[in-house]
Amino acid sequence: MYEKLIIDHSKNPRNFGELADPSIEVVEENPVCGDLIKLQLRIKNGIIQEIKFSGHGCAISVSSASMMTEATNGKSVATVRTRLSGFNSMLQGDSNVGSLPGDLAVFRVVRKFPVRIKCALLPWSALRRALEMHHEER
Ligand code: ZN
């Protein structure tokens, strides 16, 4: 039903676990599906130095979180904001999604399953809140 890459990331999630010294921590839930994600980041000098997630959820939410951490780890906050809006646009059906890393495009398939769109967006919503908190800290 889903692409190979999604299955792979859901079975072997990257950056799964907890950070020893996160500067930001966000918990986001999708009660419709029962997904729960805890996202932890360490941001310094405008760069996401480390990002990890834990929690539980369906294949879509876990693989989305896994690929999101790969697409944001070590990147500048500015780059991450661009990817965040690109990913949201893609799931809303916009064809112009800007410079989204290739792997993330597999989530286009989710548009065929509207109930799963929230699952795919969950980790990115957590990331948006994390970036808002980072902004407040400055
Ligand atoms: Zn889900």
Side-chain angles (χ1 to χ4, degrees):
M1 168 153 122
Y2 300 127
E3 313 246 349
K4 251 190 186 162
L5 198 58
I6 293 179
I7 305 288
D8 175 51
H9 276 265
S10 72
K11 286 185 174 158
N12 306 291
R14 324 301 198 259
N15 302 304
F16 188 85
E18 304 221 3
L19 292 183
D21 55 345
S23 57
I24 298 173
E25 183 175 301
V26 173
V27 175
E28 190 89 11
E29 272 184 281
N30 173 19
V32 179
C33 181
D35 308 317
L36 185 147
I37 180 180
K38 179 158 99 178
L39 189 66
Q40 294 180 312
L41 299 87
R42 197 150 38 80
I43 303 179
K44 209 178 163 191
N45 303 325
I47 306 285
I48 297 185
Q49 302 203 316
E50 226 177 332
I51 179 167
K52 281 199 173 192
F53 77 101
S54 54
H56 54 83
C58 63
I60 290 292
S61 68
V62 172
S63 59
S64 178
S66 174
M67 275 190 250
M68 180 195 78
T69 58
E70 282 200 321
T72 53
N73 202 5
K75 303 290 186 294
S76 72
V77 169
T79 298
V80 167
R81 281 190 208 280
T82 307
R83 295 193 170 167
L84 178 61
S85 67
F87 193 81
N88 274 283
S89 300
M90 181 178 76
L91 285 189
Q92 281 156 20
D94 288 0
S95 50
N96 182 18
V97 297
S99 60
L100 211 53
D103 283 2
L104 292 176
V106 298
F107 285 98
R108 264 180 223 281
V109 71
V110 173
R111 297 209 315 252
K112 284 188 261 171
F113 313 97
V115 74
R116 293 282 175 223
I117 290 178
K118 267 203 165 148
C119 303
L121 287 178
L122 182 73
W124 293 87
S125 310
L127 180 65
R128 166 174 290 145
R129 278 178 50 211
L131 294 182
E132 281 166 5
M133 286 163 74
H134 172 66
H135 191 69
E136 284 164 16
E137 277 171 9
R138 279 195 286 184

